[in-house]
Amino acid sequence: MLGRSISEAAPQVRRWLLTSAQDDTPVHVGFMENLRAYADAVGATIMVGGFTYQKGLFEDHASRTAVFSQAVHPYIQHDNVMCGPLLFAAKMNILPTAVRPLSGLETYSRGAWAVFPHAKTQMVSVPALPGGRPAQVMTTGACTLPNYIEKKAGLKADFHHTIGAVIVEVDECDRIFCRQLHATADGSFQDLDTMVRGGEVTHGHRIEALTPGDIHIEKADHEVFLASFGYDIVEQKVTNRSSLLHILRPRHVAWHDLFDHMARNHHRRGDPHFGAAMIAGGCDRVEDGTRAAAKFLLGVADDSFKSVIVASNHNDALRRWLREADPRMDPANARYWCELNAELYRQIEAGNNDFDIFQYAICRHDPNGLVDVEFVPRNSSYLICQSHGGIELAAHGDEGPNGARGSALALTRVAVRMNIGHAHTPGWLDGVCTAGLSALLDQGYNSGPSGWSHTHIITYPSSKRTLVTLWDGKWRA
């Protein structure tokens, strides 16, 4: 057994607040006060995993023999604990200066979700076999103040030190919902629409931005769209006002891969069986995809938030199709191909080098031209929370530095925090958060083990962030 079970009164929803503490280090008083207040408010159990750093070379480095602040004594755990189906790996004593604290620990929980005590934030989605649900393993953040040796490793660890915790919610069906709770300088933190400050818990607070998992509108997952955006993809309108979008009321929503270009995806060019499947399913018209994207934007539009279209590789596939396809061999799309190319050539002749054919294709489906939607061009920026250091929303993640392929690891070299999409596998690495998918997990070309999941990124006004993963159409317990 990896851990012992905690017996409780079995309420409908069980909750834990998991954090970590360094030996011989004082706690952040304000954060601990708020953590206790939130635990009381939601009926959660606080648990703290210890890690050591101050021990001498010939001393015992075990956390159970270390000296911790009196403030964490009621909550300290030295053995692994099962929080319902999730493992709190409290026994794992990871050096706080570790650059990748979860390295080599992806399978430690044997396929179960797991939380590891550590002061640096990291999250990894562990691939599952086809038909299975990928587990997420993550670190907690710490309730103790930064306390490092002033050498390279210590100064790097100090830079990434997070005052925070993870909330674990397990519902009556053993579905797991985990979110990062990152504190500001005074120890306050926000969880969804709830703010905890000065020991007081208040509700109804907005978030700054929502970065949903990649949209791929032609392959939309009905359950996910309804829970996330309140949007019914069959009726093509909002029918659920209790969705994540409507409850959290973001000021900005960054849509990645809004369009899939499923009808004429270049990866399936020359595949007659795929072409036959598109015809049989009535999905072989490119214009239907751009129309569906426009209807979606109009359907979810609200004066309370700004829709931001992030330049993405699937959106860009439209221009590639216009450049490479032969309309003579594609009667179903020949007229549309000619219309878009005619406009593209007109713009080229006019010297409009910044013309976005994808924006034009989407906007022509709305008489008002989607005037309230902001299309962010490639190599441009959409920076939010600038008074708190800034979070970049305009990077899709498919392009890396210096012409390299994009990845979260490559983008950690960029000196700005960012929310990206593209990979479909959610994660958190240094300052880069990666969203998952909002569309069907089976995209038709992916096979084998997968870490893809329906995961969104939430950014709070303080610039603190969290990842929200949906289970069976639910985004919280």
Side-chain angles (χ1 to χ4, degrees):
M1 273 293 284
L2 284 169
R4 56 181 175 81
S5 295
I6 292 182
S7 59
E8 295 193 337
Q12 286 287 80
V13 177
R14 295 161 287 165
R15 293 185 175 89
W16 293 265
L17 293 172
L18 309 179
T19 186
S20 65
Q22 181 177 323
D23 64 323
D24 293 318
T25 304
V27 299
H28 190 297
V29 175
F31 177 67
M32 283 303 296
E33 177 189 16
N34 289 325
L35 202 65
R36 287 190 290 264
Y38 197 38
D40 291 340
V42 300
T45 300
I46 298 175
M47 291 195 289
V48 179
F51 59 84
T52 60
Y53 180 62
Q54 301 297 327
K55 297 287 186 179
L57 181 62
F58 299 105
E59 295 182 60
D60 181 4
H61 287 255
S63 66
R64 69 178 64 247
T65 59
V67 177
F68 291 94
S69 168
Q70 288 289 332
V72 304
H73 281 194
Y75 316 112
I76 197 77
Q77 298 288 333
H78 297 297
D79 293 305
N80 293 345
V81 179
M82 295 304 299
C83 302
L86 176 142
L87 172 71
F88 180 40
K91 191 175 183 179
M92 185 63 65
N93 183 1
I94 306 171
L95 196 66
T97 54
V99 175
R100 300 285 179 264
L102 296 177
S103 177
L105 296 177
E106 293 87 350
T107 59
Y108 179 80
S109 56
R110 297 184 175 93
W113 285 50
V115 178
F116 292 83
H118 200 270
K120 181 178 182 177
T121 301
Q122 189 184 1
M123 194 280 274
V124 175
S125 182
V126 181
L129 291 172
R133 186 181 295 274
Q136 293 181 5
V137 297
M138 64 197 73
T139 56
T140 56
C143 64
T144 47
L145 297 168
N147 183 17
Y148 300 100
I149 297 169
E150 291 191 355
K151 299 189 74 172
K152 182 180 179 180
L155 293 172
K156 285 169 58 181
D158 184 277
F159 179 79
H160 290 289
H161 187 97
T162 302
I163 300 296
V166 167
I167 182 169
V168 176
E169 297 181 328
V170 178
D171 72 4
E172 67 279 4
C173 297
D174 271 356
R175 288 174 290 220
I176 303 168
F177 302 87
C178 291
R179 297 182 297 276
Q180 289 78 16
L181 308 177
H182 289 174
T184 58
D186 65 357
S188 62
F189 59 86
Q190 187 170 343
D191 180 29
L192 301 177
D193 65 336
T194 300
M195 178 68 71
V196 189
R197 177 183 286 121
E200 297 292 327
V201 179
T202 56
H203 307 284
H205 299 269
R206 298 185 68 176
I207 65 171
E208 187 66 22
L210 172 66
T211 303
D214 290 3
I215 298 300
H216 297 276
I217 190 66
E218 302 97 309
K219 299 177 181 177
D221 186 297
H222 183 271
E223 195 174 59
V224 172
F225 270 57
L226 204 58
S228 301
F229 321 121
Y231 188 77
D232 188 310
I233 60 174
V234 176
E235 298 187 24
Q236 295 188 320
K237 64 180 182 180
V238 170
T239 60
N240 173 25
R241 294 282 172 180
S242 298
S243 73
L244 181 149
L245 180 69
H246 294 92
I247 296 297
L248 302 187
R249 300 175 298 130
R251 293 181 174 87
H252 315 267
V253 181
W255 307 106
H256 289 253
D257 274 338
L258 175 67
F259 174 68
D260 182 80
H261 197 56
M262 176 179 70
R264 291 296 179 268
N265 190 305
H266 59 271
H267 292 298
R268 307 299 290 269
R269 186 185 302 147
D271 183 342
H273 302 147
F274 177 77
M278 291 296 98
I279 294 171
C283 305
D284 62 327
R285 293 170 59 86
V286 175
E287 188 174 12
D288 289 344
T290 57
R291 182 181 294 109
K295 284 189 174 182
F296 172 68
L297 292 175
L298 289 168
V300 299
D302 192 289
D303 292 341
S304 65
F305 70 85
K306 170 66 74 174
S307 269
V308 180
I309 309 302
V310 179
S312 311
N313 59 307
H314 277 262
N315 298 351
D316 292 347
L318 179 68
R319 183 160 188 150
R320 178 170 180 170
W321 174 66
L322 296 175
R323 186 172 62 245
E324 298 178 353
D326 184 346
R328 298 172 303 170
M329 302 294 104
D330 190 2
N333 289 292
R335 174 193 53 80
Y336 192 56
W337 185 95
C338 290
E339 289 175 357
L340 294 188
N341 254 316
E343 181 62 27
L344 186 54
Y345 277 109
R346 277 192 288 269
Q347 297 295 331
I348 292 171
E349 290 167 359
N352 185 5
N353 297 324
D354 296 326
F355 177 69
D356 183 350
I357 189 61
F358 176 74
Q359 179 179 350
Y360 171 81
I362 298 295
C363 291
R364 73 200 296 258
H365 294 295
D366 175 31
N368 297 318
L370 294 172
V371 292
D372 295 325
V373 176
E374 181 154 351
F375 289 78
V376 183
R378 282 281 183 183
N379 302 315
S380 296
S381 175
Y382 193 91
L383 201 64
I384 62 169
C385 302
Q386 295 186 46
S387 62
H388 298 285
I391 302 289
E392 180 59 69
L393 299 186
H396 178 53
D398 57 325
E399 295 182 338
N402 304 319
R405 290 176 64 88
S407 69
L409 179 60
L411 291 170
T412 59
R413 297 167 55 195
V414 181
V416 64
R417 293 174 294 169
M418 59 184 68
N419 297 342
I420 65 172
H422 183 59
H424 300 172
T425 301
W428 195 318
L429 190 63
D430 294 353
V432 179
C433 281
T434 306
L437 265 173
S438 296
L440 296 168
L441 294 177
D442 182 1
Q443 290 282 295
Y445 57 83
N446 54 308
S447 62
S450 173
W452 293 9
S453 70
H454 296 128
T455 301
H456 309 320
I457 306 169
I458 287 173
T459 304
Y460 298 116
S462 63
S463 82
K464 305 302 180 183
R465 294 171 289 176
T466 191
L467 297 168
V468 173
T469 298
L470 284 77
W471 280 62
D472 302 329
K474 292 181 67 176
W475 50 278
R476 61 183 177 183

